[in-house]
């Protein structure tokens, strides 16, 4: 059950965190398509890390509230 909750929160976090929230932290270097691929992948990794931390915190706090 905890794994399912973690996955749901992780996916929801990745979808709901706006790109503009983390996009200003990234410097784009390179040329054209390669730079944009790197930019998009970096944004996805940062959003996944933030969502993972939030999901872990929720799962850590949830049993303490019961």
């Amino acid at each position: 059950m905890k794994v399912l909750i973690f996955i749901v929160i992780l996916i929801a976090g990745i979808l709901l965190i706006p790109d503009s929230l983390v996009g200003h932290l990234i410097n784009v270097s390179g040329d054209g398509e390669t730079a944009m691929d790197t930019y998009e992948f970096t944004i996805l990794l940062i959003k996944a890390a933030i969502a993972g931390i939030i999901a872990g915190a929720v799962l850590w706090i949830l049993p303490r509230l019961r």
Side-chain angles (χ1 to χ4, degrees):
M1 185 66 179
K2 287 185 180 183
V3 174
L4 181 64
I5 293 172
F6 182 82
I7 291 172
V8 168
I9 294 173
L10 182 70
I11 292 172
I14 290 173
L15 294 176
L16 296 177
I17 296 173
D19 290 345
S20 61
L21 182 69
V22 294
H24 68 278
L25 300 172
I26 302 169
N27 290 330
V28 178
S29 61
D31 188 27
E33 188 176 341
T34 306
M36 288 310 294
D37 288 343
T38 304
Y39 176 75
E40 291 294 328
F41 185 68
T42 306
I43 284 182
L44 182 62
L45 285 177
I46 292 171
K47 287 170 57 172
I50 292 170
I53 291 169
I54 292 170
V58 167
L59 290 178
W60 184 66
I61 292 171
L62 191 63
R64 289 161 177 32
L65 295 177
R66 291 183 185 178

